[in-house]
Amino acid sequence: MEYLHQMRVEIKKAHSLLKLQLFSDSANQAIQHFKPVRKIFKKAGLIREAQLNLQNIDLIRVEDEKIRLLLQTNIEEGIKIFLSNTTDFGSKLEKSGKKTLKKIKEIPDKKVLAFYRTQLQKASKNFKRKLFINHLHESRKSLKVLSHIHEILPNNLFEELQINWVYVELLQQKIGNWHDMHLTECWMKKNKANKKDLKIIQKNLQEQLVEIKEIKKDFEIKALGLNGNGG
């Protein structure tokens, strides 16, 4: 399960870089050659989602053993199916990787900085929406993309932006936990969990949203330093 999770993490990082490639050059189609890898990512995601659901019901102490048993069965069956296709997946990964790498080009620093500003603006816009809950996941994706790229690029490139990475990571993590719990709630409803357990998870979700609302206040100022203009 841990290897499967790490595979998904690395695919996310690679996809983030390809988004940057496309932003730098709209004619660059490297991201198109990555689609077979994204399909593998989604298949692995079904297993990961079931695993997170199991962790979440344990976290909120759901007592319904039928729900827990169903999730454990889903995980076991999902892994079995995934492993039976590893040869095919490996072949697709290799072919897709070679095609993708051929399209990778050097990206000017100014394009990287412009990409960062654009993603921060997207997140900020979504946080300001009246019904921001509907856009929380999109906001988080923008922040996560920036975190992925920041991991591999030199720190001096971002000095001009003065990004508060501790704050950005905290916010995206809180939203990620909320989103995972929300998916668990949806799964529980679909599988007819008892009302008592649904009330527990809904209370947990409301508490998380209250915390996120507080953290997201003055996002631009907190994310881009005290002057709020990115330096």
Side-chain angles (χ1 to χ4, degrees):
M1 291 303 301
E2 182 58 28
Y3 290 133
L4 197 65
H5 172 57
Q6 287 304 317
M7 181 196 75
R8 279 173 47 82
V9 169
E10 296 306 323
I11 289 176
K12 285 180 182 178
K13 291 178 182 178
H15 194 247
S16 295
L17 281 171
L18 293 175
K19 285 183 177 180
L20 174 57
Q21 279 279 322
L22 187 61
F23 178 86
S24 176
D25 178 8
S26 60
N28 190 308
Q29 295 301 306
I31 201 167
Q32 295 298 321
H33 296 302
F34 203 67
K35 284 185 176 180
V37 181
R38 291 287 291 172
K39 289 181 179 179
I40 299 172
F41 171 86
K42 289 180 180 179
K43 290 182 183 296
L46 297 175
I47 303 171
R48 177 62 177 168
E49 188 173 317
Q51 183 192 30
L52 288 172
N53 287 340
L54 187 59
Q55 289 178 1
N56 283 335
I57 66 170
D58 285 339
L59 182 66
I60 61 174
R61 298 179 182 178
V62 167
E63 298 177 357
D64 191 341
E65 285 300 323
K66 293 179 183 178
I67 290 290
R68 181 176 282 98
L69 181 60
L70 179 58
L71 281 170
Q72 290 172 337
T73 301
N74 288 346
I75 292 171
E76 291 171 4
E77 291 179 350
I79 291 174
K80 185 178 180 180
I81 294 172
F82 191 88
L83 289 176
S84 69
N85 288 285
T86 50
T87 301
D88 179 53
F89 290 160
S91 176
K92 288 179 178 177
L93 279 167
E94 185 177 3
K95 291 179 181 178
S96 179
K98 288 180 179 179
K99 290 181 180 180
T100 302
L101 287 172
K102 287 180 180 178
K103 296 291 183 178
I104 298 296
K105 297 179 181 179
E106 185 176 355
I107 303 172
D109 288 355
K110 64 179 182 180
K111 287 285 187 178
V112 177
L113 297 176
F115 179 74
Y116 263 66
R117 290 189 179 97
T118 299
Q119 293 298 319
L120 286 168
Q121 287 168 2
K122 284 182 180 179
S124 179
K125 183 178 179 180
N126 281 328
F127 285 137
K128 291 177 181 177
R129 292 178 185 270
K130 186 175 182 180
L131 298 175
F132 85 100
I133 295 174
N134 297 336
H135 304 278
L136 267 182
H137 187 50
E138 290 302 315
S139 299
R140 192 244 180 170
K141 286 196 291 186
S142 294
L143 300 182
K144 198 64 179 174
V145 165
L146 300 187
S147 295
H148 288 157
I149 297 173
H150 179 249
E151 286 184 30
I152 62 171
L153 295 181
N155 289 331
N156 63 339
L157 184 61
F158 306 105
E159 289 178 358
E160 179 184 341
L161 293 178
Q162 300 180 1
I163 294 177
N164 183 344
W165 289 108
V166 174
Y167 169 73
V168 169
E169 283 295 324
L170 172 66
L171 183 54
Q172 73 86 9
Q173 184 179 47
K174 293 291 183 181
I175 297 172
N177 292 340
W178 166 82
H179 185 254
D180 290 342
M181 191 67 75
H182 170 64
L183 292 179
T184 300
E185 179 200 19
C186 292
W187 184 88
M188 288 174 65
K189 286 181 177 178
K190 181 180 178 181
N191 289 277
K192 300 178 179 179
N194 63 58
K195 292 182 179 179
K196 178 183 176 182
D197 288 331
L198 284 173
K199 285 183 178 180
I200 293 173
I201 194 170
Q202 287 162 358
K203 182 176 182 294
N204 182 279
L205 284 167
Q206 286 302 313
E207 291 172 350
Q208 289 189 61
L209 282 174
V210 169
E211 186 178 16
I212 291 171
K213 283 182 179 180
E214 185 61 32
I215 295 174
K216 80 175 182 68
K217 286 181 180 178
D218 302 318
F219 169 76
E220 290 180 353
I221 295 176
K222 293 176 181 176
L224 294 175
L226 295 177
N227 56 12
N229 61 14

